[in-house]
Every structure is written in C-alpha cells, then in structure tokens.
Amino acid sequence: QVQPVESGGGLVQAGGSLRLSCSTSGSTFINAMGWYRQAPGKQRELVATIISDGTTNYADSVKGRFTISRDNAKNTVYLQMNSLKPEDTAVYYCNMRTGPFPTTQYDYWGQGTQVTVSS
C-alpha cells in the first residue's frame, strides 16, 4: 500500500521560502509525483508534477518561484517554494501515481499540510 506523508508546512512571511517533503515507505514504483493545493473556497489545483524521468510541469502562477524534485530511491518528492506570496496560502497535498502504464495507474494522496504566507 502507498501512503504518502507530507511535512514542511507552516507559517512564513511574504517573500520567504519553505520546502515541503512527501514520501512513502512502500516498494511500489511511483511513476508520477506531484503537489496540489486548495485554498479556502476554491477547488484543488495542480501546483507541480514530476515524472520518474525528471520531466516537470508547473502551474503558471508558480513558475520561476517553485521547484519540484524527487528522490526515486526514497520515493520522496520535494517542493521548494521561494518568493512566497499571500496567495500561495493553501493546504498543499502530495499525490503519488503508480504506473507508468495506464492500466496500472492509481493515485494516492497525502493528508495535506497547511502553508500560510503572511503579508
């Protein structure tokens, strides 16, 4: 079973930095890892994803400020967040997707970690 666990959330001032981590202890191959966020009253949105080959994808709102990376040996994904803005405030969720083939793709979600950016 895959059970992602996030860490690193907290309170930071605007312009500051924070690094989120998410990992699972299982041996299941995780093809895709990603971060999503949900602010109060809004839908969950994609922040960034990274595939096992290193390919990344970012939401336009975080390009140039956030960097996603992964350690395949540890089944761990990181999100380095720089130049944080109050609008980045949200619950951040880790997603891990098995695969890589469509018939073997299953999503696993972490419980979420709160990121609050003060002005």
Side-chain angles (χ1 to χ4, degrees), residues 88-107:
D88 294 318
T89 295
V91 177
Y92 284 69
Y93 295 91
C94 171
N95 172 260
M96 295 189 177
R97 173 173 285 186
T98 58
F101 306 106
T103 56
T104 62
Q105 290 181 351
Y106 299 94
D107 286 320

Side-chain angles (χ1 to χ4, degrees), residues 2-24:
V2 178
Q3 180 58 67
V5 178
E6 303 109 328
S7 63
L11 176 65
V12 66
Q13 289 183 285
S17 298
L18 208 59
R19 190 174 83 151
L20 306 182
S21 300
C22 177
S23 64
T24 180

Side-chain angles (χ1 to χ4, degrees), residues 15-116:
S17 298
L18 208 59
R19 190 174 83 151
L20 306 182
S21 300
C22 177
S23 64
T24 180
S25 61
S27 60
T28 303
F29 175 70
I30 308 299
N31 184 52
M33 300 180 179
W35 290 95
Y36 296 73
R37 66 187 182 187
Q38 187 168 23
K42 300 182 66 176
Q43 289 187 302
R44 186 175 299 186
E45 65 176 353
L46 183 149
V47 177
T49 61
I50 183 167
I51 311 301
S52 58
D53 66 358
T55 302
T56 58
N57 182 48
Y58 295 92
D60 288 341
S61 60
V62 307
K63 286 181 179 177
R65 300 189 298 120
F66 292 8
T67 302
I68 189 169
S69 61
R70 63 187 283 170
D71 184 335
N72 292 329
K74 298 180 179 180
N75 273 348
T76 300
V77 61
Y78 305 94
L79 185 68
Q80 179 66 47
M81 304 184 291
N82 298 326
S83 301
L84 283 162
K85 305 174 181 179
E87 49 262 47
D88 294 318
T89 295
V91 177
Y92 284 69
Y93 295 91
C94 171
N95 172 260
M96 295 189 177
R97 173 173 285 186
T98 58
F101 306 106
T103 56
T104 62
Q105 290 181 351
Y106 299 94
D107 286 320
Y108 298 88
W109 293 90
Q111 80 288 348
T113 185
Q114 178 70 48
V115 172
T116 302

